[in-house]
Amino acid sequence: MTQTDEFGEELADFVRRVAELKAARSASGGDLPTVLDAAIFELDHVADRLWPWYERLSATGSSRAPSGERVDRQEQQLLRTVFQRFPQPVALVDRETVVRRLNFAATAFTGVRAGYATGRPLTGFLAHADRAAFRSQAAAVARGEGDRGLTVHLQQRPSVPVHATLTAVHPRGEPRTTVLVVLQPGGSTVPATPAPAEGAAGRVPDLTEATRHAVLMELLDTMTTTLLTTQARLSRTTVLERAARVLHGRFADWVIADTGAARLSRTTVLAPSEKEAAALSAQDPAGCPLVVEAARGGSTALQIRPEDPYAFGHDENGTPVLARANVTSLLCVPLRVEGAVRGVLTLFRCGPRLAFSMAEAQAMDTMSRHIALAMTGTP
């Protein structure tokens, strides 16, 4: 038993004795001197024993704790620095593969910012075929069944095999086992680690973002021009097809248009190839949960590395559409005007292409309202 525990027990006994003395105040007058002597004895016990004991414990704690805390903080800071500067891509995940931390090399290798990745499953960045195996191996490591290794593929670069090594770690203060994942790209080098920003004042303007913004403004202008020059006698299907062709290629690899409200019908499919387009044209929109939800709820859905491969249904062979097309991001946008949904536009980006951004989703939401208005005035 430690000195602190002994002091705690002694103090608890003292408190109980004081309670007994309080109860003895109702004793007869002849017994009160005895009670008073007992109370004086307890006061002497506090002054002579408990108080000096407390001072010794306080002095010992104040002399040791700060030094120990400083050592702990220094060790933790050192470990964080080593983790962040480690040249190989490294991630800390839980048994469900949810990312706890991502180092600089991992953000450069995956193309995903650490702030975005944290709290999301690491499997979301992998090809659909590798996700189940990776989850199973991570769960086995977290259960204490030993280190594991397997080959996976990033959704952004499916042709490059990546060897993932998984090992269990037990960070201080964590109630559950954490899994350390080291990614070793096969046949390629790890991209250079970007230097952290030194502050807004010395930050170089992001020319890539500026270019994407300019391209987006040009797309908005082209869509507006297309809708304004559309003749009123054209059918709603034709209007929607013309809008879809504006988006295809320059903005999305796939553009799928479904018209109607209570009963949707597939009217346009623009894909990387005619064969792929024909395969999806025969699909019933009612078998696409994303489309049904957009038509029913009337809200835009933006998904980066979709977790559910069956979110857009499956093809005639039972293969999930999102997995077959290697969809890395998607937008599912209802064509809504005055509270009524006229149809749904779905856009896919595949492979290494940059994922849809929030700015692009907002722009698409604006274009969807303009498309719905153009469809309102047509037969």
Side-chain angles (χ1 to χ4, degrees):
M1 182 180 297
T2 65
Q3 289 288 320
T4 303
D5 294 334
E6 291 180 8
F7 176 78
E9 288 190 359
E10 189 71 26
L11 186 61
D13 289 340
F14 169 73
V15 171
R16 285 194 294 270
R17 292 194 298 272
V18 169
E20 292 174 358
L21 289 172
K22 287 181 179 179
R25 288 181 300 178
S26 60
S28 60
D31 295 329
L32 284 177
T34 304
V35 174
L36 179 60
D37 289 341
I40 294 174
F41 173 79
E42 294 298 340
L43 291 175
D44 288 338
H45 176 67
V46 170
D48 297 338
R49 177 170 172 77
L50 292 183
W51 181 251
W53 197 351
Y54 170 75
E55 287 183 331
R56 287 196 302 273
L57 289 175
S58 299
T60 302
S62 62
S63 63
R64 292 181 180 177
S67 176
E69 290 176 1
R70 281 197 300 271
V71 171
D72 287 344
R73 285 197 297 267
Q74 289 172 357
E75 289 182 352
Q76 291 175 7
Q77 184 62 37
L78 176 61
L79 289 174
R80 289 194 187 100
T81 303
V82 170
F83 175 83
Q84 291 295 346
R85 295 298 180 182
F86 194 69
Q88 290 288 343
V90 180
L92 279 176
V93 302
D94 62 14
R95 65 179 59 204
E96 285 81 29
T97 77
V98 175
V99 175
R100 306 294 296 275
R101 289 182 183 275
L102 210 64
N103 73 346
F104 295 141
T107 60
F109 181 57
T110 61
V112 181
R113 295 178 181 176
Y116 175 82
T118 302
R120 290 178 167 84
L122 185 63
T123 51
F125 311 136
L126 305 180
H128 287 278
D130 298 329
R131 295 179 181 181
F134 189 88
R135 286 194 196 96
S136 178
Q137 299 288 14
V141 172
R143 289 194 300 266
E145 297 180 7
D147 300 344
R148 301 295 174 93
L150 72 162
T151 300
V152 295
H153 301 80
L154 295 179
Q155 202 173 32
Q156 294 280 38
R157 284 184 297 232
S159 62
V160 179
V162 178
H163 185 73
T165 303
L166 292 75
T167 186
V169 293
H170 306 275
R172 182 181 300 178
E174 291 286 343
R176 301 174 65 183
T177 301
T178 303
V179 180
L180 182 71
V181 182
V182 181
L183 303 175
Q184 299 175 352
S188 64
T189 57
V190 181
T193 303
E198 296 181 357
R203 188 175 298 165
V204 178
D206 192 335
L207 298 181
T208 302
E209 289 298 324
T211 302
R212 292 185 72 180
H213 179 73
V215 171
L216 190 57
M217 292 300 101
E218 183 182 354
L219 176 68
L220 283 168
D221 178 69
T222 303
M223 179 64 75
T224 302
T225 302
T226 300
L227 296 176
L228 289 176
T229 55
T230 298
Q231 298 178 5
R233 66 175 181 272
L234 295 177
S235 66
R236 293 179 179 178
T237 302
T238 304
V239 172
L240 186 54
E241 182 181 359
R242 288 191 172 187
R245 292 194 179 280
V246 173
L247 299 169
H248 183 236
R250 66 194 300 179
F251 190 65
D253 299 309
W254 290 69
V255 181
I256 302 104
D258 301 302
T259 57
R263 178 62 182 174
L264 292 165
S265 61
R266 182 70 42 87
T267 57
T268 303
V269 177
L270 302 176
S273 69
E274 293 184 3
K275 182 180 179 181
E276 292 172 303
L280 209 55
S281 296
Q283 186 190 40
D284 184 2
C288 304
L290 273 172
V291 175
V292 173
E293 183 62 28
R296 184 179 301 160
S299 58
T300 299
L302 167 63
Q303 291 191 13
I304 311 297
R305 299 172 181 83
E307 184 67 20
D308 181 10
Y310 288 94
F312 204 79
H314 54 79
D315 61 16
E316 67 278 4
N317 299 320
T319 304
V321 171
L322 299 182
R324 178 176 177 177
N326 190 28
V327 176
T328 52
S329 65
L330 64 85
L331 277 171
C332 194
V333 187
L335 305 175
R336 184 180 63 251
V337 61
E338 296 180 355
V341 176
R342 306 277 181 186
V344 177
L345 263 178
T346 307
L347 306 121
F348 296 159
R349 284 184 179 173
C350 308
R353 188 166 184 171
L354 286 174
F356 288 111
S357 66
M358 291 297 294
E360 289 173 326
Q362 185 177 6
M364 189 62 234
D365 188 61
T366 300
M367 286 187 283
S368 70
R369 293 198 300 272
H370 295 169
I371 295 170
L373 285 170
M375 294 172 63
T376 301
T378 57

